[in-house]
Amino acid sequence: MIQAASSVHTDRSRGSLAGLSALILATLFAGAAVYILVAEQPARLALDEAPLLLQWQESYPRAARMQAGLAVLAGIVGGLAFWRSRDPLWLVGAVLMLANLPFTLIVIAPVNDALLASSLDQAGTASRALIERWGSLHAWRAGFALLALAAYAGALIRAR
């Protein structure tokens, strides 16, 4: 009995290095996503329509490159931690981090495309409404990341 319990602990701790890396990557993604929600989005919404659209168009591609990379890495490394430890919390976190990709490509991309295609002379209430909608949809990405972060932290704690 004692040997079986210690083998479960050893199996779970096998993914600790990968798990710690996944936790750090998910934390970076979540931090960036929450920053956008609580600081950048409210600040940009205080601007008039043309500067609002321009700020979003300049900011979004930069943030997208960074966040896509972090989401993929956090998901892959979380999957590796699951593979090494077999703790399902790593898999839950990995799936949540990777869920950001199809959510962005299917749900948010039409809004992104419309905003990126808008010229500054078209800026108005419609572009403002799209940016507000984008902010609401972006909150889902932050939520996926925060839940993944909780799953990763739980798995790491359980591995100790």
Side-chain angles (χ1 to χ4, degrees):
M1 180 72 111
I2 294 172
Q3 183 178 8
S6 96
S7 125
V8 169
H9 177 73
T10 303
D11 288 347
R12 284 196 174 148
S13 65
R14 286 184 66 201
S16 291
L17 181 58
L20 180 60
S21 299
L23 180 70
I24 291 167
L25 291 164
T27 300
L28 290 170
F29 181 99
V34 170
Y35 168 81
I36 290 166
L37 282 177
V38 302
E40 188 171 343
Q41 181 74 351
R44 80 167 55 109
L45 289 173
L47 299 171
D48 290 332
E49 275 72 10
L52 166 65
L53 179 59
L54 177 62
Q55 194 283 338
W56 187 92
Q57 289 174 333
E58 292 293 323
S59 171
Y60 177 75
R62 290 173 174 91
R65 284 189 298 273
M66 177 193 67
Q67 286 200 287
L70 287 171
V72 169
L73 286 172
I76 290 172
V77 177
L80 177 63
F82 167 71
W83 180 71
R84 293 189 46 91
S85 71
R86 298 297 181 219
D87 185 331
L89 283 176
W90 292 120
L91 183 59
V92 169
V95 168
L96 285 163
M97 285 307 302
L98 293 172
N100 280 289
L101 298 175
F103 183 78
T104 299
L105 294 173
I106 296 166
V107 178
I108 301 178
V111 175
N112 294 342
D113 294 344
L115 287 167
L116 291 169
S118 298
S119 66
L120 293 181
D121 57 340
Q122 294 174 313
T125 57
S127 59
R128 178 175 291 279
L130 280 173
I131 291 171
E132 289 171 352
R133 172 120 174 93
W134 178 89
S136 297
L137 294 172
H138 178 74
W140 282 92
R141 290 192 289 211
F144 291 148
L146 291 170
L147 290 172
L149 188 59
Y152 285 167
L156 203 57
I157 290 167
R158 203 155 62 179
R160 298 181 117 227

